[in-house]
Amino acid sequence: MKNTVPIRILSVEDHPVFRAGLRAIISSEEDMDLVGQAMDGIEALALYHRERPDITLMDLRLPGQDGVEILTSIRRSYRGARIIVLTTSDSNADLQRALHAGAAGYILKTMANEEMIEIIRSVHQRGRYIPTHLATRIADQIGEEQLTPRELEVLGLVRDGYRNKLIADRLTIAESTVNFHIKNIMEKLQANDRTHAVTIAVRRGLLQI
């Protein structure tokens, strides 16, 4: 049964075509009300504070900050915020970062409009939704040592061709700390070298090329 009080929704999305599509989809549902659309983190925080939506749809790729950083900022002030990541990325790394930050859901932009609408209703009623194929992928990795967010960040820079000193400069940490992270990464992934570590991470969906 649909709610008599509309679900108040905020979208955080910088792509104009997708923004317009979301507005059309949500506006066509009697039990939903799009209370605002933000294009970046600053606008998202201001609109969230003003509107206090029931559900926030958050893109991951945004100008200035990524969606997980904005998600973290919102939940730091509003622990009950229900934020659904709406993205093109199905990588384990992005999923794990989003869940670690407190995302209530993680859905892909490629899904059917009707499915997205039902997921919004489900999160509003029950609090959480993760696509079955992504949940299964994570379950398959239970028992494997997981990389920390910082280790994923370091490995991403290794993938991009950064040497240890440049990684240290980029992350504002000591080079010895970078060496420590890389040692842990190699052990956790059982990799022979840095290139092998990146290859394993890509195969597991922890990194994207």
Side-chain angles (χ1 to χ4, degrees), residues 1 9 14 17 20 42 44 54 61 66-67 70 76 79 88 92 98 107 110 139 141 154 168 171-172:
M1 180 181 296
I9 299 169
D14 68 322
V17 174
I42 294 173
D54 300 311
R61 309 290 181 246
D66 73 9
I70 302 167
R76 189 178 294 124
R79 297 301 301 170
T88 57
N92 284 9
I107 57 181
T110 52
Q141 293 182 1
V154 168
L171 300 180
T172 322

Side-chain angles (χ1 to χ4, degrees), residues 70-85:
I70 302 167
L71 189 160
T72 301
S73 296
I74 291 174
R75 283 186 51 83
R76 189 178 294 124
S77 299
Y78 306 96
R79 297 301 301 170
R82 292 186 178 181
I83 301 174
I84 301 173
V85 170

Side-chain angles (χ1 to χ4, degrees), residues 12-38:
V12 185
E13 167 66 52
D14 68 322
H15 194 286
V17 174
F18 200 79
R19 280 163 60 88
L22 278 175
R23 177 175 288 280
I25 293 165
I26 293 170
S27 298
S28 69
E29 300 299 321
E30 294 181 358
D31 63 335
M32 295 183 183
D33 181 17
L34 185 64
V35 297
Q37 289 188 293

Side-chain angles (χ1 to χ4, degrees), residues 114-133:
E114 295 80 5
E115 187 178 359
M116 181 182 69
I117 289 297
E118 288 308 314
I119 289 168
I120 291 172
R121 292 188 181 116
S122 177
V123 171
H124 183 246
Q125 293 168 7
R126 290 181 282 278
R128 200 166 182 83
Y129 174 85
I130 306 299
T132 302
H133 76 283

Side-chain angles (χ1 to χ4, degrees), residues 133-186:
H133 76 283
L134 294 180
T136 300
R137 190 193 299 168
I138 288 182
D140 288 343
Q141 293 182 1
I142 292 176
E144 297 176 348
E145 285 198 85
Q146 300 299 311
L147 300 186
T148 66
R150 177 61 95 182
E151 287 166 351
L152 284 170
E153 196 171 12
V154 168
L155 191 55
L157 292 172
V158 170
R159 172 205 58 198
D160 294 340
Y162 286 78
R163 306 307 298 174
N164 289 12
K165 185 178 186 311
L166 290 176
I167 294 174
D169 292 343
R170 180 74 178 267
L171 300 180
T172 322
I173 57 178
E175 188 173 354
S176 60
T177 303
V178 176
N179 295 336
F180 175 76
H181 285 314
I182 290 179
K183 177 177 178 294
N184 284 344
I185 290 167
M186 302 275 282

